[in-house]
Amino acid sequence: MLVFTQKLAPDLDRIPDWTIALTAEQRTKTRQHIDIPGADRMTLCLDRGVNISEGDRLISETGDKVLAIVAQPEPVITVTAPTNLDLIRAAYHLGNRHVPLEITSQYLRLEPDGVLADLLVKLGCHVTQEIAPFYPDKGAYHGHDH
């Protein structure tokens, strides 16, 4: 079993042996098992508090294998609004409910939730269900990489 224990420094140019797609939730877990077809079972065993993001490369405990991380497309709700103020208002209401939320100047994105979708429509927003990579904001109190 391969065990990946740390992030590869960005300035080290190593070609990955594998690339894996992880959901937003999986990218929050520093300890998990991963099955890749045609490869040994892999384990992430990173220090607590380490952030895993798309584009990161993880190195095995033996230092000889590199694993690249990409965001897996997943079911999401994408929210747009007629005005910037409407989009800000929607972000405010979603923030009050503490849902993981991707925030951009053009749209908001969250996990599928019928109740929240109805709320957003009542606020005048346009709601689209789709499959897309999800990059929720890590928040103001999120720790830094070690």
Side-chain angles (χ1 to χ4, degrees):
M1 177 184 325
L2 287 168
V3 180
F4 291 86
T5 57
Q6 60 185 328
K7 287 170 66 170
L8 189 63
D11 59 338
L12 295 178
D13 191 22
R14 299 252 324 251
I15 297 171
D17 297 285
W18 299 276
T19 299
I20 60 165
L22 298 177
T23 65
E25 181 180 353
Q26 289 172 315
R27 294 191 311 272
T28 66
K29 296 179 181 177
T30 56
R31 296 172 188 266
Q32 61 183 301
H33 297 290
I34 299 167
D35 291 314
I36 297 179
D40 289 339
R41 186 172 204 191
M42 299 179 190
T43 298
L44 299 187
C45 192
L46 304 168
D47 289 337
R48 299 205 186 286
V50 171
N51 300 320
I52 303 172
S53 301
E54 181 171 61
D56 282 345
R57 289 172 298 147
L58 309 179
I59 191 161
S60 65
E61 64 184 345
T62 57
D64 62 337
K65 298 294 182 185
V66 174
L67 180 65
I69 306 296
V70 297
Q72 179 174 312
E74 56 188 297
V76 292
I77 295 173
T78 300
V79 182
T80 57
T83 69
N84 288 341
L85 183 58
D86 291 331
L87 195 61
I88 292 168
R89 186 175 289 115
Y92 170 80
H93 285 284
L94 292 168
N96 275 341
R97 286 154 179 84
H98 301 281
V99 297
L101 184 64
E102 180 177 340
I103 304 168
T104 74
S105 61
Q106 303 298 313
Y107 65 86
L108 305 173
R109 189 167 279 158
L110 63 149
E111 296 168 335
D113 183 309
V115 172
L116 293 179
D118 290 344
L119 167 73
L120 292 162
V121 169
K122 287 178 183 173
L123 290 172
C125 296
H126 306 285
V127 175
T128 305
Q129 294 201 22
E130 56 188 351
I131 305 291
F134 181 37
Y135 307 99
D137 190 85
K138 290 183 171 77
Y141 299 107
H142 195 276
H144 62 280
D145 282 344
H146 294 262

